Amino acid sequence: MINLKQHYPVSAIYDLVERLYFELKKHKEFYEKFFKGIKLEKLIQLQKETFAYLFGYTDKNPNINLYESHKHLNIKDEDWFEFVQILTKVLKDAKLPEDHIQHILEKVSSYKDEIIKKD
């Protein structure tokens, strides 16, 4: 298990979240489907807090019910796959080592079943 705190300050994780939303905006159809009309500043801040907790930078759990906060979006497997591709690009563009990328993707993917629409 990789401890990201040993390799990056929390500001680096926050930067990755900012980069992620910058990249998401480039995927117009995806962005409009899931983020149109959302106050991004608030979402980005919440995502930063979530990632800080997820990767052990803080013990403060944002206590987000992922199912409830995503169910109205009707996210499907293919949407999840596209999100993971975008996240992977952001991590590679940031020149993170492959094992760190895989660790982050595994950690984020562990929440997939709480986020995508159950058929």
Side-chain angles (χ1 to χ4, degrees):
M1 180 115 190
I2 296 171
N3 182 345
L4 295 180
K5 289 185 346 182
Q6 293 177 338
H7 302 279
Y8 311 101
V10 72
S11 60
I13 300 301
Y14 291 170
D15 181 58
L16 288 173
V17 172
E18 294 275 350
R19 289 179 185 212
L20 174 61
Y21 283 91
F22 180 79
E23 188 65 33
L24 285 166
K25 287 180 181 180
K26 293 180 183 178
H27 297 260
K28 187 174 168 99
E29 188 176 316
F30 186 86
Y31 183 82
E32 288 186 6
K33 183 176 181 181
F34 296 110
F35 299 99
K36 189 174 184 176
I38 291 178
K39 293 184 181 187
L40 271 188
E41 301 81 25
K42 184 177 178 183
L43 180 60
I44 290 170
Q45 183 58 40
L46 184 58
Q47 192 76 60
K48 287 177 180 179
E49 291 172 16
T50 302
F51 272 46
Y53 174 74
L54 191 63
F55 294 106
Y57 286 89
T58 180
D59 291 332
K60 183 182 176 204
N61 185 341
N63 289 319
I64 310 254
N65 182 322
L66 294 173
Y67 176 74
E68 287 298 320
S69 63
H70 290 87
K71 71 179 182 181
H72 68 285
L73 297 172
N74 296 316
I75 299 169
K76 297 180 176 33
D77 282 325
E78 57 268 19
D79 302 318
W80 177 263
F81 181 71
E82 186 171 354
F83 171 78
V84 169
Q85 285 184 310
I86 295 167
L87 176 58
T88 302
K89 180 187 183 316
V90 168
L91 299 173
K92 287 184 177 195
D93 287 352
K95 303 198 183 327
L96 269 64
E98 190 61 34
D99 59 333
H100 293 191
I101 291 172
Q102 288 309 310
H103 174 71
I104 291 169
L105 293 175
E106 287 171 13
K107 194 79 159 169
V108 169
S109 291
S110 71
Y111 293 93
K112 175 186 174 194
D113 289 342
E114 294 178 51
I115 292 173
I116 64 168
K117 183 181 184 320
K118 312 280 191 266
D119 288 328

